[in-house]
Amino acid sequence: MYQLTSKLIIYRSISRDSILFRIADAMRRLDQGKLSDEEASQEILEQVHRLLDLATVYGFNQNLWQNYLAYLLAMTETPFTLVAEKEGAMDGSVNTLVESDLHIFKQLFDYDFAPLERKLGISVFSILTNFHAVEKKAQIYNKNVSDKVQELSAAFDAAATDRELYQVVTAFYGRYGVGMLGLNKAFRVSEDPETELLVPITNTLDIHLEDIVGYEMQKKELVDNTQAFVAGRKANNVLLYGDAGTGKSTSVKAILNAYYSQGLRIIEIYKHQFQYLAKIINQIKNRNYRFVIYMDDLSFEESELEYKYLKAIIEGGLEPKPENVLIYATSNRKHLVRETWRDKTDHEDDDVHKNDTVQEKLSLSARFGLQIGYFKPSPKEFIHIVETLAARYPELTISQEELRSRANIWELSHGGFSGRTAQQFIDYLLGSVPKSKA
């Protein structure tokens, strides 16, 4: 195996700490007499343990070894794979080197571990290449990546020639992209941004715009802007503002699901992380995706100065915001920076140009070219939301009259009229349905 991995050129950037290279290195040192059979067995079993952990994270099944190699192909960012992400299959001398590397990967796909197993007295690879995983719910593994990697694994395994291997891989890059940013929908800022800036959010809500009852004009504005953005046309930063529980954040999450297949990605960031905005934009600006930087429940108190940094990032810095980046924010306030009556009436304040101070605070909201208001429903609209949600669950056999009556009682003690209150009421009713009937 080490003789194969040593010949890689395009994919040579695969980490030397990867499972592939660690197993290959253990086999090399075993052949050279630098490891005893027992030592080699321990090192290889350690890598098998890592492989099983990876398979659990991504829900791999059947041939875990091939799934893992496909994962390496899907996640390895090189100049070639990043160009292929944008252009797909290309002409050029580099293709000969790529096909040579893929020929090596095909040999690794079909690698015969039987001699190694006999020498070391282990049988783990026989199990890994015909693995039957315990069925798991999608919520506990990264299904989004899992499905794509296993699709690539099957297509790569079926390819018969080096040219077919090349076509399989470049088609995959063109369709799904490469690396973490390509294969995942959503990201957040790492707990240690100095070493790893972004990490994927592996389980996003399966929510769709039609799941949000009402707010048709608001959803249309958001859809029209996002469609223009993913199509490469001019689009605006968006501020969704208004009453709590009306679907602002849910609309943004639904937009991600609607346009992910067209290259939309979302990065969630909180105001205490704004110092990393420039680094984030620098990392994503040349990628073949459209990124929405998402700021939920955004607002600033007088003492918080992060809003000034955000203003510069949105518009006004020396380096313009890349055309593949927009900012979508939600807030209960239209004017994001808290303004007090003192700003207008306190004549003892030593700020000579008081109006300039007020305008500075208001200018942040103005930098969102599209401002969409979400406001609490009327009593009649609230009942319509409740009835629409209830109709989605046949197990709720409650009469319409009782449904309306109980919804009104629920609203009085659970936050008033809103879509969130309506959904909580429906969840409460569903919780009272015996499981056998659900």
Side-chain angles (χ1 to χ4, degrees):
M1 182 179 291
Y2 60 88
Q3 292 175 343
L4 293 173
T5 56
S6 66
K7 296 176 184 176
L8 290 172
I9 299 174
I10 300 299
Y11 292 90
R12 200 172 189 84
S13 59
I14 293 172
S15 171
R16 289 301 183 270
D17 189 47
S18 65
I19 297 168
L20 172 63
F21 277 96
R22 290 286 294 273
I23 290 177
D25 185 61
M27 293 173 68
R28 175 186 64 81
R29 288 181 289 135
L30 176 64
D31 287 349
Q32 293 174 350
K34 296 179 179 179
L35 284 182
S36 67
D37 288 0
E38 183 178 351
E39 290 170 333
S41 177
Q42 289 303 310
E43 288 200 18
I44 289 172
L45 289 176
E46 181 181 339
Q47 300 312 307
V48 169
H49 179 75
R50 289 178 63 192
L51 178 53
L52 288 170
D53 283 346
L54 188 73
T56 299
V57 170
Y58 291 102
F60 294 156
N61 200 7
Q62 298 179 342
N63 195 319
L64 303 191
W65 176 247
Q66 292 186 352
N67 288 169
Y68 166 67
L69 294 176
Y71 172 80
L72 288 182
L73 290 171
M75 297 299 290
T76 302
E77 296 180 5
T78 71
F80 166 76
T81 61
L82 291 173
V83 172
E85 173 183 271
K86 292 185 176 182
E87 307 295 337
M90 301 161 287
D91 294 325
S93 300
V94 72
N95 288 350
T96 301
L97 300 177
V98 175
E99 289 185 17
S100 174
D101 273 15
L102 295 179
H103 181 79
I104 292 171
F105 263 90
K106 183 65 170 177
Q107 291 177 277
L108 293 170
F109 252 65
D110 301 329
Y111 195 84
D112 183 9
F113 287 99
L116 177 67
E117 290 184 317
R118 285 194 295 269
K119 178 175 177 57
L120 300 181
I122 58 177
S123 59
V124 290
F125 289 101
S126 302
I127 298 172
L128 294 182
T129 54
N130 187 26
F131 194 80
H132 298 286
V134 176
E135 187 174 347
K136 298 179 286 290
K137 294 181 179 180
Q139 288 84 355
I140 66 174
Y141 70 94
N142 194 333
K143 188 176 189 301
N144 196 51
V145 174
S146 174
D147 291 346
K148 295 178 179 62
V149 168
Q150 291 187 86
E151 176 188 324
L152 175 60
S153 179
F156 196 91
D157 187 47
T161 66
D162 293 350
R163 191 60 189 172
E164 287 180 11
L165 294 172
Y166 175 85
Q167 291 169 343
V168 164
V169 171
T170 53
F172 179 89
Y173 294 149
R175 184 162 60 251
Y176 297 125
V178 62
M180 178 187 69
L181 294 178
L183 272 67
N184 291 279
K185 285 185 177 183
F187 310 88
R188 57 177 172 79
V189 179
S190 167
E191 293 181 3
D192 185 10
E194 298 301 330
T195 57
E196 183 180 28
L197 186 57
L198 298 174
V199 294
I201 298 172
T202 58
N203 293 305
T204 55
L205 284 177
D206 186 23
I207 189 77
H208 304 278
L209 286 167
E210 54 269 25
D211 296 332
I212 305 170
V213 183
Y215 301 96
E216 299 306 324
M217 292 180 59
Q218 290 90 335
K219 290 188 290 186
K220 184 178 186 306
E221 285 189 88
L222 187 60
V223 164
D224 289 346
N225 192 73
T226 307
Q227 283 181 340
F229 180 50
V230 298
R233 305 193 303 272
K234 290 291 185 181
N236 280 299
N237 298 310
V238 181
L239 173 63
L240 295 85
Y241 70 94
D243 298 317
T246 51
K248 302 182 295 294
S249 300
T250 303
S251 294
V252 176
K253 296 167 186 174
I255 280 289
L256 171 63
N257 290 327
Y259 293 98
Y260 165 70
S261 63
Q262 298 179 41
L264 186 68
R265 304 292 186 270
I266 194 166
I267 298 171
E268 185 175 42
I269 186 170
Y270 298 97
K271 60 186 176 184
H272 69 276
Q273 301 167 327
F274 283 177
Q275 61 183 306
Y276 301 109
L277 271 171
K279 284 186 177 181
I280 292 170
I281 289 174
N282 188 60
Q283 180 172 326
I284 64 180
K285 64 183 180 182
N286 294 320
R287 296 303 298 267
N288 192 35
Y289 313 107
R290 298 276 157 172
F291 292 92
V292 165
I293 297 179
Y294 171 48
M295 304 169 181
D296 191 26
D297 197 21
L298 185 65
S299 66
F300 299 92
E301 298 299 322
E302 285 185 282
S303 60
E304 296 176 315
L305 301 179
E306 292 93 338
Y307 76 92
K308 295 185 177 183
Y309 188 73
L310 178 56
K311 283 170 58 179
I313 289 292
I314 294 178
E315 182 182 336
L318 289 176
E319 183 179 7
K321 180 166 60 64
E323 56 85 27
N324 70 327
V325 177
L326 281 183
I327 293 176
Y328 283 13
T330 68
S331 179
N332 293 337
R333 297 176 179 174
K334 184 175 183 179
H335 301 303
L336 296 171
V337 185
R338 184 171 179 264
E339 184 186 5
T340 67
W341 283 110
R342 187 183 64 189
D343 291 331
K344 298 182 178 181
T345 62
D346 189 351
H347 299 293
E348 296 181 2
D349 195 326
D350 60 1
D351 189 346
V352 176
H353 302 288
K354 188 176 298 294
N355 185 61
D356 291 351
T357 301
V358 173
Q359 291 304 313
E360 181 187 28
K361 289 185 174 183
L362 296 179
S363 65
L364 177 57
S365 295
R367 299 198 179 198
F368 290 87
L370 183 58
Q371 300 179 20
I372 306 174
Y374 281 69
F375 304 106
K376 66 180 181 180
S378 67
K380 183 178 180 180
E381 290 169 334
F382 174 73
I383 291 300
H384 171 69
I385 294 173
V386 169
E387 290 176 338
T388 303
L389 293 175
R392 296 173 180 173
Y393 302 96
E395 61 268 31
L396 290 180
T397 57
I398 186 173
S399 69
Q400 291 292 93
E401 182 178 353
E402 184 181 358
L403 179 70
R404 298 187 192 106
S405 175
R406 293 180 64 178
N408 284 325
I409 295 172
W410 178 273
E411 170 270 323
L412 290 173
S413 59
H414 290 83
F417 299 116
S418 73
R420 179 184 296 157
T421 300
Q423 184 62 65
Q424 290 171 345
F425 171 61
I426 295 300
D427 290 343
Y428 167 75
L429 293 180
L430 289 169
S432 65
V433 176
K435 192 172 183 179
S436 59
K437 296 182 180 180

